[in-house]
Amino acid sequence: MWRRFLGNSTSEGTGSKNTRSRAPAPQAPAPYPKRTPAAPTSHPHPLMDKPHHSPTSWPDARAIAARAAVKEAAHAAPVMRPLSEALGQVLAAPLAALTDLPPFDTSAMDGWALAGPGPWRLPTDDKDQDHGILAGHGEAAALPDGHAVRIATGARVPPGATAVLRSEYGTDAGDGWLHASAAHPVVLGQDIRTRGQECRSGDQLLPAGTLVTPAVLGLAAAAGYDELPTVRRPRVEVLVLGDELLTEGLPQDGRIRDALGPMVGPWLRALGAEVTSTRRLADEADAVCAAVAESSADVVVTTGGTAAGPVDHVHPTLRRLGAELLVDGVAVRPGHPMLLARLAPESPESPESSESSEKSEKAENPGPQTRPARHLVGLPGNPLAAVSGLLTLAEPLLRTLTGRPAPAPGPAPLAEAVQGHPRDTRLVPVTFRQDAAVPLRFNGPAMLRGIAVADGLAVIPPGGAKRGTEVEVLDLPWSAIATEQLSHADQSRHADQARHTDQTRHTDQTRHTDQTRHTGRASQDTDQAGTTDRARRAPQASRRTDKSAGHGDGEDISPEEGPA
């Protein structure tokens, strides 16, 4: 009706002419002028320069992001790191044994080394009787047949020894003879770890792409390594856009706290990136363009400004820089205005960016400083929508750059039905109870209360999913944060700091979780936030009904949720 009214040449009842509505359509300004790579001197309104297109499907977007940096990853030189600095890194080459493990025959128990059948003659020398052969000593004298000598766990077995008798299974009567317990007869080779039992020199122990855990460090040390070839962590710079954001205090005068600045950097670190900085920028086109162009990072992550509003400058910036849009909008809620772009191989460098790049290159020892291309991930400005963008685009991209294997699908049955979007995929925070995924109530694009206590994000297909339907669940990378920490003591220290300060680098998410546990909804969500371990949670939790959980018809879920 409004279109018909505005299209009339005469306003009914007045007789006045409506010249604006009479203008013929062909003479109207073209709403989507053809774009050229050249950087214009003036910046047209984003709405005037954004062609209509269909968003990329969610599975396709993740696949495109995973393939986007294959060439860059293949040409990246490995970084040799001392074992003390390799925790949380990824092996750039297979780990092959540099020696036999064990390197010689060793005793698996404290007891006596035996030669032949018993009883066995014990040494008459007091020193040999008291201590025998200890770990770390060189090769001992050959053990004659029918003799025994004391030996410690890990000590080198003397030539001629045929078995080791545990201390609790043997009896030294004091007459110079050793007797084995009748209940534990001696078997040839018992309790001797033979040379090469675990591996031989040259055997492949671990493939490339393995995450370096404390156990991997121990294996590498045992196999003879002092340092490991690791994948260079991609450098990422975070640009937080928005004039309305506050960095401290309570929201006031129409401005709100910046939730993405404290969250995105640690999240990216958990995905294996080296976050060089988090910068906050005003909603000014030239400032945004300069920050992206001058960044020396492998990946630039922006928050906000990806839509087509009057102060959304990400798309115009990419056009000015001649970037290639790989993903421009994804059919997912929340987060559909997200994007992925490949920036030009080389961008203008400022003195500051060159100095920062040089320092980072020295720290990472990546080899050549020139890289084929850089990438930009544009996250929406709403917090949960930004999380959606992190898991949809940033995670696959960084997974390729860090050499990590794709995670195995983790399907789980839904404990409750979830309303879907008519056309788009939905990502819904869930927690696990008795191996079922329980949708969390606070799942709006601007909400963090649900994700703060979630175990993962359930992938809900268009149209929704019924109770009991198995859906894919995207795990959250908190275990990776723990892996990056250098020791158990460091983990305890970070945890203590998280309770008393909000300045710890890796504990922003933990702080959000602590805040959620004390909200007015604590009676519903505290049991969810108590632990993210599924096995520990399941015996204690009981499935909530639709009414008690706030789900169902009364839940505030709109399939047409608008920009997110």
Side-chain angles (χ1 to χ4, degrees):
M1 292 180 63
W2 280 108
R3 292 193 188 98
R4 182 176 300 176
F5 172 79
L6 293 174
N8 287 342
S9 61
T10 305
S11 297
E12 195 173 279
T14 61
S16 62
K17 302 286 185 179
N18 188 331
T19 55
R20 176 174 300 178
S21 61
R22 288 178 55 126
Q27 298 178 10
Y32 309 121
K34 183 177 180 181
R35 297 180 296 180
T36 60
T41 55
S42 61
H43 316 309
H45 192 286
L47 289 174
M48 298 287 290
D49 199 30
K50 184 175 177 61
H52 175 76
H53 67 279
S54 298
T56 306
S57 71
W58 183 78
D60 288 348
R62 284 175 58 83
I64 292 170
R67 296 192 304 264
V70 169
K71 183 184 297 184
E72 289 77 10
H75 290 84
V79 181
M80 298 303 298
R81 297 182 188 274
L83 296 186
S84 60
E85 300 176 7
L87 186 64
Q89 306 297 322
V90 175
L91 292 180
L95 187 72
L98 302 179
T99 181
D100 295 343
L101 286 181
F104 41 78
D105 292 352
T106 62
S107 174
M109 292 290 171
D110 291 332
W112 294 271
L114 313 174
W120 301 272
R121 187 69 179 174
L122 293 170
T124 56
D125 183 84
D126 292 339
K127 181 178 180 182
D128 288 340
Q129 281 184 323
D130 293 341
H131 300 293
I133 305 173
L134 301 178
H137 288 190
E139 187 175 29
L143 190 63
D145 188 41
H147 284 67
V149 64
R150 275 279 183 184
I151 193 167
T153 301
R156 189 168 185 165
V157 173
T162 56
V164 169
L165 179 64
R166 302 185 186 190
S167 297
E168 60 269 28
Y169 296 162
T171 301
D172 179 0
D175 59 357
W177 291 90
L178 173 69
H179 298 267
S181 167
H184 300 90
V186 176
V187 179
L188 183 66
Q190 74 177 27
D191 289 330
I192 291 179
R193 296 184 62 225
T194 58
R195 176 176 181 171
Q197 184 183 73
E198 186 170 3
C199 67
R200 288 291 185 178
S201 178
D203 286 352
Q204 180 174 316
L205 305 177
L206 296 169
T210 299
L211 183 69
V212 179
T213 64
V216 170
L217 292 176
L219 177 61
Y225 285 86
D226 299 319
E227 56 183 11
L228 293 175
T230 62
V231 177
R232 183 180 71 87
R233 292 191 300 165
R235 298 192 312 278
V236 179
E237 183 174 21
V238 180
L239 304 178
V240 181
L241 315 181
D243 294 332
E244 76 280 9
L245 302 177
L246 296 170
T247 58
E248 60 183 11
L250 296 174
Q252 56 182 322
D253 300 329
R255 302 181 68 189
I256 58 174
R257 279 296 299 270
D258 170 27
L260 297 182
M263 180 180 71
V264 173
W267 200 303
L268 294 169
R269 291 188 188 99
L271 296 175
E274 176 201 354
V275 180
T276 58
S277 66
T278 296
R279 299 171 55 192
R280 292 172 174 82
L281 301 177
D283 286 321
E284 298 176 0
D286 290 339
V288 174
C289 186
V292 174
E294 295 170 3
S295 176
S296 61
D298 302 293
V299 179
V300 178
V301 176
T302 63
T303 70
T306 57
V311 292
D312 291 331
H313 301 302
V314 175
H315 279 95
T317 290
L318 296 176
R319 289 193 290 272
R320 291 174 66 182
L321 297 178
E324 177 188 2
L325 269 173
L326 304 178
V327 175
D328 188 10
V330 179
V332 66
R333 303 298 175 109
H336 68 271
M338 67 180 74
L339 59 85
L340 172 64
R342 180 179 287 116
L343 301 173
E346 295 182 0
S347 60
E349 291 187 356
S350 67
E352 292 182 0
S353 66
S354 299
E355 181 179 356
S356 172
S357 175
E358 182 179 355
K359 290 181 180 178
S360 183
E361 294 284 354
K362 290 180 179 179
E364 286 285 352
N365 187 28
Q369 296 186 13
T370 303
R371 291 173 299 280
R374 300 179 301 129
H375 294 84
L376 181 142
V377 176
L379 304 178
N382 278 324
L384 188 57
V387 169
S388 175
L390 285 170
L391 293 180
T392 301
L393 299 179
E395 187 275 330
L397 178 70
L398 294 175
R399 186 202 319 141
T400 299
L401 288 171
T402 56
R404 304 186 185 205
L414 287 171
E416 303 167 12
V418 178
Q419 183 179 348
H421 188 276
R423 300 174 303 278
D424 299 347
T425 300
R426 281 193 70 202
L427 300 182
V428 177
V430 295
T431 188
F432 288 103
R433 285 186 178 168
Q434 300 174 349
D435 293 328
V438 180
L440 295 173
R441 176 183 178 188
F442 296 100
N443 52 35
M447 296 181 177
L448 285 174
R449 189 170 167 181
I451 193 67
V453 297
D455 293 320
L457 285 174
V459 182
I460 307 300
K466 298 179 180 180
R467 176 178 176 175
T469 302
E470 283 207 344
V471 296
E472 181 181 357
V473 177
L474 304 177
D475 288 331
L476 303 181
W478 312 142
S479 58
I481 289 182
T483 303
E484 283 192 32
Q485 312 210 355
L486 299 181
S487 67
H488 176 72
D490 284 341
Q491 294 178 30
S492 300
R493 175 168 53 82
H494 284 305
D496 290 338
Q497 291 175 350
R499 287 191 290 266
H500 302 291
T501 178
D502 58 357
Q503 298 179 352
T504 302
R505 183 181 65 178
H506 292 301
T507 52
D508 293 301
Q509 289 85 1
T510 302
R511 174 161 44 86
H512 285 306
T513 300
D514 290 338
Q515 293 171 353
T516 303
R517 290 173 182 164
H518 297 286
T519 62
R521 193 172 163 264
S523 61
Q524 296 177 2
D525 286 334
T526 299
D527 58 334
Q528 300 168 11
T531 175
T532 57
D533 181 68
R534 303 180 189 180
R536 291 175 57 193
R537 185 195 309 274
Q540 302 173 2
S542 60
R543 185 174 297 172
R544 296 182 301 180
T545 63
D546 290 343
K547 292 182 179 179
S548 64
H551 298 296
D553 295 337
E555 185 176 5
D556 184 17
I557 300 176
S558 172
E560 302 289 350
E561 57 187 351

